[in-house]
Structures are given as C-alpha cells and as structure tokens.
C-alpha cells in the first residue's frame, strides 16, 4: 500500500466505509516499517507522519460519529510460566485485527474497547452514543462495575 494507491481508491470511490481508508493508511505505515531499515530517512518520515496521522484522524473519525481512528491490537494472553527457556520475545502483531462492534441502528464500526462493549453484559446488541442520543435513550446500566 502507498499514497498513490490510497489516492486512486479515494478518487475512484472504492472505499465503501471510512475504516477501509484508515486501515489502508495504517497498512502503508506498516509497509514502510517492514521494508526499510530503522536508520533510514523513510523510517524517520514514516514515524513522524504516522504520529501526525494518529493525532489528526481521531478527531475526524469522532466528528463522523466513530470512536477514534487509532489502530487497536488485541491478542490472547498466555501463561508465560509454562513456556520453555529463559527468554520471552514480545512483539506488536499487526496481523491481529482491531476488534469492532457494529451499531445496530446506524451500522458504524466502533472499537469494543473504546465503547466498553462486552457481549455477556449487553447481549441484545449494541447502539452507539449518537443513536442513543438521537432517540433520547440511555445505555442499559452495567451492573457488574465495581462501586
């Protein structure tokens, strides 16, 4: 993925959802990181541009009714005491997608962690804050929170 491809897809109207665009931009940053040395100018520019993108995209996404534009990663936790050897390598895994929940009313995708949605508590679906506000409704209380 590169800026020319992203621009071509924007002009051609190939992005059906806002998150597709955001994912492509993050993929471009990933590619720059994977295919360039850490000491290269490209990596320096990638780092600076990704920081600017992350700072700016959240406000844009929030103005469109989404939670944020940040890429969230979630992995399963492992019991490290069962692993063999003395060393454990911990890495960010960009192959792990962000976990989203779709609003039942408007269809927007929001990070589960941003909206604190957990299916066993709210098993009747999810409605975003914008749709709740438009209906004059409130989210069902989470009776499992600590007081």
């Amino acid at each position: 993925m590169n800026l020319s491809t992203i621009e071509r897809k924007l002009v051609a109207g190939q992005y059906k959802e806002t998150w597709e665009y955001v994912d492509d931009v993050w993929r471009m940053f990933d590619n720059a990181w994977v295919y360039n040395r850490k000491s290269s100018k490209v990596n320096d520019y990638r780092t600076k541009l990704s920081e600017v993108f992350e700072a700016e995209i959240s406000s844009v996404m929030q103005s469109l009714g989404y939670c944020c534009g940040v890429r969230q990663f979630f992995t399963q936790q492992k019991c490290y005491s069962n692993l063999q050897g003395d060393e454990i390598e911990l890495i960010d895994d960009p192959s792990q997608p962000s976990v989203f929940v779709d609003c039942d009313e408007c269809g927007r995708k929001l990070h589960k962690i941003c909206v604190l949605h957990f299916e066993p508590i709210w098993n009747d679906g999810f409605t975003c804050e914008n749709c709740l506000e438009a209906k004059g409704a409130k989210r069902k209380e989470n009776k499992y929170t600590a007081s």
Side-chain angles (χ1 to χ4, degrees):
M1 186 56 57
N2 56 49
L3 284 174
S4 298
T5 304
I6 292 170
E7 179 185 32
R8 182 179 44 77
K9 289 174 79 172
L10 273 171
V11 170
Q14 291 180 324
Y15 291 118
K16 303 295 181 225
E17 187 178 86
T18 310
W19 277 111
E20 291 175 7
Y21 163 77
V22 173
D23 286 341
D24 276 353
V25 173
W26 285 118
R27 190 171 299 112
M28 176 191 67
F29 293 136
D30 288 343
N31 289 346
W33 181 78
V34 169
Y35 296 110
N36 295 280
R37 292 187 316 264
K38 279 188 173 181
S39 60
S40 72
K41 287 281 187 195
V42 172
N43 191 53
D44 292 343
Y45 297 142
R46 176 208 60 91
T47 302
K48 290 175 184 165
L49 187 57
S50 68
E51 289 169 357
V52 170
F53 180 73
E54 186 169 356
E56 297 297 324
I57 195 62
S58 286
S59 61
V60 172
M61 293 295 280
Q62 288 169 351
S63 73
L64 294 172
Y66 294 93
C67 54
C68 66
V70 177
R71 187 170 51 170
Q72 312 269 354
F73 294 111
F74 304 95
T75 58
Q76 294 179 346
Q77 294 181 350
K78 299 177 184 175
C79 180
Y80 292 111
S81 61
N82 293 335
L83 296 176
Q84 302 293 325
D86 296 331
E87 295 181 10
I88 300 171
E89 181 180 352
L90 300 175
I91 59 170
D92 287 335
D93 186 358
S95 67
Q96 295 294 319
S98 296
V99 179
F100 291 101
V101 62
D102 295 333
C103 175
D104 293 337
E105 302 288 324
C106 66
R108 285 191 180 99
K109 289 171 68 171
L110 297 112
H111 291 116
K112 285 184 179 183
I113 193 72
C114 290
V115 295
L116 301 175
H117 181 74
F118 187 53
E119 281 89 2
I121 296 171
W122 294 288
N123 55 7
D124 55 344
F126 172 75
T127 304
C128 72
E129 291 299 322
N130 291 340
C131 292
L132 286 173
E133 188 177 309
K135 293 192 308 185
K138 293 190 182 244
R139 185 170 319 287
K140 183 175 104 178
E141 183 182 352
N142 177 357
K143 61 184 175 185
Y144 301 105
T145 56
S147 44

